[in-house]
């Protein structure tokens, strides 16, 4: 399909070097968006133990908070790593390495963010509701994030790699049909 590191992509008029330039810029732009959200979550978590109601979460809630805090820090590190490494590897001629490594950091950071967000929701819910509702709510957050950030894109990628890229056309109808948000 032209995605080999040495072959130009026939669907685009670009060399492998131009492709890595484009991919790196696209990745860094996407990470800029998510990093801002992670930083707000991390800042909020850093202030939470100093609030008056924090003692209400109990011992288990404090450990869940700790998990949320540590995974927010890990998410921040992973999601900022591509920009930092881009600066450190500037003009090294290894954008291919940087793009591939940045993709792995982005996935790891998103996983850490999933844990941090669901843990933070669990702590907040436990402060006002039952531990059971807090756990169910956190599990729902994990489920939604897992679907939207990992499962759905992997299913799409499998369809594309199998040559069944679905562009919204239904065979034999000759017209586009409305797609659901989940498809």
């Amino acid at each position: 399909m032209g995605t080999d590191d040495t072959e130009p992509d026939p669907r685009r008029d670009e060399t492998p070097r131009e492709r890595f330039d484009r991919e790196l810029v696209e990745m860094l732009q996407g990470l800029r968006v998510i990093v801002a959200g992670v930083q707000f979550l991390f800042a909020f978590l850093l202030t939470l133990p100093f609030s008056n109601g924090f003692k209400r979460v109990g011992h288990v809630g404090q450990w869940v908070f700790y998990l949320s805090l540590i995974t927010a820090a890990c998410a921040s590190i992973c999601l900022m790593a591509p920009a930092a490494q881009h600066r450190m590897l500037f003009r090294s001629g290894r954008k291919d390495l940087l793009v591939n490594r940045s993709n792995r950091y982005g996935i790891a950071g998103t996983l850490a963010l999933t844990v941090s967000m669901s843990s933070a929701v669990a702590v907040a819910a436990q402060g006002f509701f039952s531990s059971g509702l807090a756990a169910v709510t956190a599990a729902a957050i994990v489920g939604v994030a897992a679907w939207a950030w990992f499962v759905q894109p992997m299913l799409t990628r499998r369809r594309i790699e199998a040559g069944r890229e679905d562009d919204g056309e239904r065979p034999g109808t000759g017209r586009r049909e409305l797609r659901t948000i989940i498809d």
Side-chain angles (χ1 to χ4, degrees):
M1 291 186 68
T3 57
D4 184 300
D5 291 350
T6 59
E7 297 289 323
D9 188 337
R11 297 168 294 183
R12 292 183 177 265
D13 187 22
E14 62 186 3
T15 66
R17 176 177 275 189
E18 290 169 332
R19 187 179 77 241
F20 285 126
D21 288 344
R22 176 184 51 81
E23 288 174 346
L24 183 61
V25 168
E26 289 173 357
M27 187 173 315
L28 291 175
Q29 287 174 343
L31 291 175
R32 266 190 215 116
V33 173
I34 198 169
V35 164
V38 172
Q39 288 175 324
F40 284 122
L41 174 63
F42 192 38
F44 166 74
L45 290 171
L46 288 172
T47 64
L48 191 61
F50 303 104
S51 68
N52 290 334
F54 186 69
K55 290 184 176 134
R56 286 194 313 213
V57 299
H59 187 70
V60 171
Q62 289 173 354
W63 279 105
V64 173
F65 163 78
Y66 181 71
L67 175 66
S68 183
L69 181 67
I70 296 305
T71 54
C74 290
S76 295
I77 291 166
C78 288
L79 296 170
M80 291 179 195
Q85 288 197 15
H86 180 255
R87 292 294 85 211
M88 296 300 295
L89 296 173
F90 187 66
R91 293 191 177 154
S92 68
R94 291 303 314 267
K95 280 195 182 166
D96 59 332
L97 173 70
L98 188 57
V99 167
N100 291 324
R101 187 181 289 165
S102 296
N103 187 55
R104 287 190 302 271
Y105 273 118
I107 292 168
T110 306
L111 283 168
L113 178 59
T114 300
V115 173
S116 183
M117 286 173 49
S118 60
S119 300
V121 167
V123 170
Q126 186 181 3
F128 296 102
F129 303 105
S130 71
S131 295
L133 180 59
V136 168
T137 305
I141 297 294
V142 168
V144 170
W147 173 258
W149 294 346
F150 302 105
V151 175
Q152 187 180 34
M154 286 189 313
L155 292 173
T156 301
R157 183 177 207 132
R158 283 187 183 155
R159 277 197 311 252
I160 291 168
E161 289 172 354
R164 299 180 318 219
E165 184 172 1
D166 188 5
D167 63 357
E169 293 287 332
R170 296 289 186 215
T173 63
R175 63 183 175 88
R176 285 198 179 280
E177 294 182 11
L178 292 177
R179 308 292 293 197
T180 64
I181 195 167
I182 296 175
D183 188 28

